[in-house]
Amino acid sequence: MCGRFALTDTPDAVQSLLAVTDFEPFPPRYNIAPTQPVLMALSGPARPAGSNLPSRQSMLVRWGLIPAWAKNPDDFSLLFNARSETAAEKASFRTAMRHRRALVPANGFYEWRRVGSKRAEPYWIRPRDGGLIAFAGLMESWSEPGGTEIDTGAILTTEANEDLRGIHHRMPVVIKPEDFDRWLDCLNQEPRHVADLLKPAEPGFFEAVPVSDRVNKVANAGPDLQERVEPREVKDTDQKPGDDSGQLDLF
């Protein structure tokens, strides 16, 4: 799965990777959690011939997809991930998979290796060569009964590759830059046409760095979260990921 990630590169680097220019500058974010705002890039509106405007647009969305048909979001679990193998068929993700596929810029993500029932070791999982990557995402807009519209999103996951399988059995789908256009082209590319992109990263692409369990608490959001530590014993009383209420809720 992918329940925490980081975007620490500069806005210029994000613009260069995603070819989008329509977002405000932002600070490094070392501990992005569900319900917080995340940056996504989607296919933009049709441009007239000869236009030099970018073909993609950026959106700031709430991480945790709410289906457009949902009457009450409280009736749903927080849909911050979508299984890529079934997203095209699931009612919650089917429309977004067909019409609103997205890219989510990131420098890596966090995952927890479970040992027994009460031990968890966090890892910072980053590209071995560094730099920015883009996760496969889905975007959906949901309207409150009062008419207020909220843009929401999820990150697609797939089976973990052999490097990460010992930490967790799922990982986010990474879309390569050469596949950005095809992934985002919802007008001409149906989900079945891009199914080949929904696969684990190649072995050796990521490296897993053991880090402090301070990452478990969303309020901790500094660069020290990504510093390597020696794996340690986790006590029964240690806080587990998700045990805090410090997340920024857009509702």
Side-chain angles (χ1 to χ4, degrees), residues 38-95:
V38 298
L39 182 65
M40 287 189 169
L42 297 89
S43 180
R47 307 293 190 188
S51 172
N52 60 358
L53 294 173
S55 61
R56 301 169 191 161
Q57 62 182 339
S58 66
M59 296 188 72
L60 199 62
V61 311
R62 171 194 184 269
W63 187 16
L65 187 143
I66 304 174
W69 46 262
K71 301 295 185 184
N72 183 356
D74 293 336
D75 294 337
F76 290 84
S77 299
L78 191 59
L79 303 177
F80 55 88
N81 286 163
R83 292 177 68 93
S84 61
E85 298 91 338
T86 58
E89 287 79 42
K90 292 290 185 181
S92 295
F93 306 115
R94 183 169 53 229
T95 301

Side-chain angles (χ1 to χ4, degrees), residues 18-180:
L18 300 181
V20 292
T21 59
D22 56 341
F23 60 83
E24 297 293 327
F26 54 83
R29 299 177 66 193
Y30 291 92
N31 197 5
I32 303 172
T35 75
Q36 292 183 351
V38 298
L39 182 65
M40 287 189 169
L42 297 89
S43 180
R47 307 293 190 188
S51 172
N52 60 358
L53 294 173
S55 61
R56 301 169 191 161
Q57 62 182 339
S58 66
M59 296 188 72
L60 199 62
V61 311
R62 171 194 184 269
W63 187 16
L65 187 143
I66 304 174
W69 46 262
K71 301 295 185 184
N72 183 356
D74 293 336
D75 294 337
F76 290 84
S77 299
L78 191 59
L79 303 177
F80 55 88
N81 286 163
R83 292 177 68 93
S84 61
E85 298 91 338
T86 58
E89 287 79 42
K90 292 290 185 181
S92 295
F93 306 115
R94 183 169 53 229
T95 301
M97 189 68 181
R98 178 63 185 90
H99 299 289
R100 286 174 290 279
R101 297 191 296 268
L103 297 168
V104 183
N107 287 91
F109 65 102
Y110 299 97
E111 194 53 84
W112 283 259
R113 182 172 71 93
R114 294 289 181 181
V115 182
S117 61
K118 295 184 178 180
R119 296 179 56 201
E121 295 175 343
Y123 287 82
W124 164 235
I125 299 173
R126 64 190 181 190
R128 192 173 298 275
D129 296 331
L132 269 172
I133 54 176
F135 299 144
L138 300 174
M139 195 284 289
E140 187 66 273
S141 295
W142 179 77
S143 294
E144 292 181 308
T148 301
E149 190 172 89
I150 301 173
D151 296 322
T152 69
I155 291 173
L156 286 156
T157 66
T158 186
E159 292 183 354
N161 64 18
E162 60 187 59
D163 295 335
L164 304 183
R165 201 169 296 139
I167 298 174
H168 197 278
H169 65 285
R170 305 290 293 178
M171 67 183 299
V173 173
V174 176
I175 303 295
K176 297 179 179 179
E178 58 266 32
D179 296 319
F180 284 178

